Amino acid sequence: MTTKPSKPSKPSQTPQTAARFSRRGILAATPLVLGVGALAACSNGGSGGSSDGGGGGESGGTLTIFSTGEEMSFDPATSQNLAITTLGLTARRLTAWKTSADAPTELIPDLATDVGTASEDGTTWTFTLQEGLLFEDGTPITAATVKYGLERSFAAELTGGLTYHKVLLEGGEDYAGPFSDKHLDSIETPDDLTLVFHLNRPYGDFGWIASTPAFAPVPEESGEPETYATEPVASGPYRLESYAPGSKAVLVRNEKWDVDTDQARLGGPDSIEFTLAQDASVVAQSIIADRSDAQDSFLSTFVPTAQLVQAQNDPKVGDRLVTSGPGALEYLALNTESDALKDVKVRQAIQYAVDKEAYRTAKGGEISGDYATTLITPGIAGREEYSLYSDEPTGDVDKAAALLKEAGAGEISLRLVITDDQTGAAESIQQGLKRAGITVTIQPLDENAYSSEVTAGDGTGYDLVLSSWQPDVPSPNANLTPLFDSSQIGDGNYNLARYANPDVDAAILEASSTIDADEAHAKWAAVDKQILEESPVVPLIYSKNSFIHGSGVENFVIGEFPAYPNYLTVTLG
């Protein structure tokens, strides 16, 4: 899911900071504190040229991606990159994602010949590599290089990456990485093309886990922790030619990549330039105007609010402004340990009292998202649409008042903790609850105080908190486990409602252990409703993200999941 979200995403953030603040979690029902990381650092640039060089690219030219970020890392061990963004240009994984604007994201093979085969009990997963795959230097990509790349992610020298595999692989909790010449026995490589993973419990989503960055191959002789971030050995369609922090990173064709072996990437442009440390507003204006130096580019950040309005009203922009479908879940977490919120009827009353229409208006109106009623987000296979509470976006104040009366609730005063950028959204919550006689005091906190009181604290410092969540992989598991499993309360984790229900914990474990996808989806849909019946959070909206690109950019696709463009398929006209 990514980060671990500590703050909700906002339209002016880059995908990298939105990821940090809205999407991370763990997929295993095991307590774990995850590091903060980036989705992507991107930039923009050039023009021209045509080539069908190295790997069968379609469009040639130089694609520029503008980024507000100042630094980039190409080390998969420390990355929280989504499978379709920056790192996927240079590093393949065992599996990959096929995104579509009108269908759920599909798991597809990448380095492997299929998406993995589970044993009957779901504790062993086997992958077979395609034959003939090469690194940029011409050396073979083997099972041993995938194993080494994965082992590197356990090293204390390399922190910040996703950690799902660390709590699933047998012996992972005690393994400290390969730099002391030790290997992880639960990853077997019986031959050059076969990997066998032994898990500590049945796990149905391991094929998705194999699409995360740590499953990229790394040659053992090249994987030094001090240098690999800026001297990677590419397995994808591009290799890193040059990198200057705060300025630019240049990717050029990897001549050893073969498009016929790759279902996830087109390898269209001859080169890709990431222009760093950019002002999003300035870049957006340049792309809106379609200036010559911006035609073959896109902005990696969400379009800032002022420029979004400008682009919407400029007929010359047209379909160069691309808005995603509904994505990350924005929600109001209700601290179930708070004395004022322990009664489920009080929490259910808040479901009816909240004014989602006012909240969405404060976030920017219809373009900011669709109203939310479920916990599993759109674009994820297995999601079921339902509504347990009011179907009116403005709420149902009479129903809220009736529930409060049933609960025997007297005067209720709640403390809503926010970050500085959430004031307008918080005021909409405050005004909605006031209609039902609930007083809300808004308290902005800086990032350190927020972390101390909300994610790492004991729960005594707040009653309500606004947050959002986009998982790292398109699985219901990634929506529900990090936010509602009791093991994820405190210690830097993201069960912000501090919700603990042994029956839900058991249902989460059962669903995540189910190997058959259809059976698992049915179980996750049931867990979704089971949780929301107890009202630990109020779903507000599924946020939408708007991006803009120049007139020379083609195949700029935002799938149903995630709400970001697929960098791997962008080409130039």
Side-chain angles (χ1 to χ4, degrees):
M1 295 138 155
T2 323
T3 136
K4 296 332 79 21
S6 58
K7 300 192 292 188
S9 57
K10 54 184 180 182
S12 61
Q13 288 175 324
T14 65
Q16 116 190 50
T17 53
R20 182 166 69 246
F21 296 143
S22 68
R23 70 186 183 89
R24 299 299 178 192
I26 67 169
L27 303 188
T30 307
L32 178 69
V33 178
L34 295 181
V36 172
L39 216 185
C42 308
S43 63
N44 171 289
S47 61
S50 64
S51 169
D52 193 42
E58 294 182 357
S59 65
T62 296
L63 170 67
T64 302
I65 307 174
F66 289 111
S67 172
T68 58
E70 296 187 358
E71 297 183 353
M72 298 180 70
S73 170
F74 292 88
D75 193 331
T78 61
S79 174
Q80 297 191 13
N81 238 232
L82 291 176
I84 61 167
T85 53
T86 305
L87 196 68
L89 297 167
T90 59
R92 298 177 69 174
R93 301 99 187 264
L94 288 179
T95 60
W97 303 355
K98 179 181 178 181
T99 60
S100 170
D102 54 11
T105 294
E106 179 184 348
L107 185 67
I108 58 175
D110 193 357
L111 295 173
T113 58
D114 58 28
V115 295
T117 301
S119 61
E120 187 173 348
D121 66 359
T123 62
T124 301
W125 282 77
T126 302
F127 295 82
T128 302
L129 299 183
Q130 299 182 65
E131 295 187 31
L133 300 177
L134 301 174
F135 287 106
E136 66 173 84
D137 61 4
T139 58
I141 295 173
T142 64
T145 63
V146 176
K147 175 175 179 172
Y148 180 69
L150 199 56
E151 288 176 333
R152 290 178 75 253
S153 69
F154 286 83
E157 299 95 324
L158 298 168
T159 61
L162 299 176
T163 54
Y164 310 130
H165 56 285
K166 295 182 182 180
V167 298
L168 289 171
L169 288 168
E170 284 185 352
E173 66 276 8
D174 299 318
Y175 182 60
F179 300 126
S180 59
D181 295 325
K182 293 182 179 180
H183 295 283
L184 187 58
D185 293 338
S186 55
I187 308 173
E188 290 186 300
T189 55
D191 56 55
D192 284 347
L193 298 178
T194 306
L195 288 131
V196 182
F197 298 95
H198 297 277
L199 311 186
N200 52 33
R201 70 177 185 87
Y203 198 79
D205 277 342
F206 198 74
W208 287 111
I209 303 304
S211 72
T212 58
F215 286 78
V218 176
E220 186 166 351
E221 63 276 11
S222 305
E224 291 300 318
E226 299 84 4
T227 59
Y228 199 77
T230 55
E231 298 177 13
V233 182
S235 52
Y238 298 96
R239 61 179 177 84
L240 181 62
E241 182 181 62
S242 63
Y243 169 59
S247 178
K248 184 177 291 188
V250 179
L251 305 182
V252 297
R253 288 196 182 279
N254 170 14
E255 302 287 341
K256 302 301 182 181
W257 172 76
D258 182 356
V259 67
D260 292 333
T261 69
D262 198 328
Q263 299 182 39
R265 301 162 185 80
L266 293 181
D270 288 332
S271 60
I272 299 176
E273 295 184 0
F274 293 89
T275 303
L276 308 177
Q278 298 297 295
D279 183 301
S281 297
V282 172
V283 172
Q285 288 173 342
S286 179
I287 298 177
I288 288 170
D290 205 30
R291 295 172 187 162
S292 59
D293 60 350
Q295 290 176 354
D296 290 350
S297 73
F298 69 85
L299 176 62
S300 70
T301 72
F302 311 148
V303 181
T305 302
Q307 286 68 46
L308 180 58
V309 173
Q310 179 184 351
Q312 287 177 293
N313 294 324
D314 188 338
K316 295 181 182 178
V317 172
D319 60 7
R320 294 192 294 111
L321 176 67
V322 183
T323 298
S324 74
L329 172 68
E330 299 190 23
Y331 63 94
L332 178 69
L334 315 181
N335 184 348
T336 58
E337 294 180 355
S338 166
D339 288 340
L341 296 173
K342 286 182 178 178
D343 191 322
V344 67
K345 289 185 183 294
V346 173
R347 299 197 302 269
Q348 290 171 339
I350 292 175
Q351 295 279 356
Y352 290 100
V354 164
D355 187 342
K356 297 181 184 181
E357 182 176 291
Y359 177 86
R360 189 171 77 165
T361 299
K363 298 287 290 187
E366 184 176 354
I367 199 170
S368 68
D370 290 352
Y371 298 120
T373 60
T374 72
L375 304 174
I376 299 172
T377 52
I380 293 182
R383 175 180 182 269
E384 291 185 7
E385 185 72 45
Y386 68 90
S387 178
L388 294 182
Y389 302 104
S390 176
D391 290 326
E392 290 297 323
T394 56
D396 184 338
V397 179
D398 291 339
K399 179 66 173 177
L403 282 166
L404 291 173
K405 185 177 180 179
E406 287 180 34
E411 185 175 319
I412 298 178
S413 297
L414 303 175
R415 181 186 180 214
L416 170 57
V417 167
I418 64 167
T419 54
D420 291 334
D421 57 296
Q422 296 178 287
T423 301
E427 288 175 347
S428 74
I429 299 296
Q430 181 186 52
Q431 293 162 10
L433 298 191
K434 183 179 181 180
R435 300 176 305 170
I438 299 173
T439 300
V440 174
T441 301
I442 299 171
Q443 177 156 7
L445 298 176
D446 63 29
E447 188 169 344
N448 290 333
Y450 181 98
S451 176
S452 176
E453 292 206 22
V454 177
T455 58
D458 61 6
T460 59
Y462 68 96
D463 301 299
L464 308 172
V465 62
L466 284 171
S467 192
S468 64
W469 190 265
Q470 177 174 282
D472 292 299
V473 298
S475 161
N477 192 354
N479 277 110
L480 302 182
T481 302
L483 301 187
F484 302 107
D485 192 280
S486 64
S487 69
Q488 301 306 297
I489 296 173
D491 295 326
N493 294 305
Y494 292 89
N495 183 339
L496 305 185
R498 306 184 72 85
Y499 174 71
N501 182 330
D503 292 337
V504 168
D505 288 348
I508 286 174
L509 182 60
E510 180 180 350
S512 67
S513 301
T514 300
I515 306 304
D516 181 86
D518 291 337
E519 290 181 19
H521 292 160
K523 290 177 180 179
W524 284 119
V527 175
D528 190 327
K529 288 184 180 179
Q530 182 181 6
I531 294 169
L532 204 50
E533 284 171 352
E534 294 197 306
S535 188
V537 304
V538 179
L540 297 169
I541 63 172
Y542 307 116
S543 60
K544 295 179 180 179
N545 302 329
S546 293
F547 297 86
I548 192 165
H549 63 79
S551 60
V553 173
E554 298 182 351
N555 295 317
F556 190 89
V557 176
I558 300 178
E560 286 194 359
F561 179 94
Y564 300 101
N566 188 336
Y567 292 19
L568 312 186
T569 59
V570 173
T571 59
L572 298 174

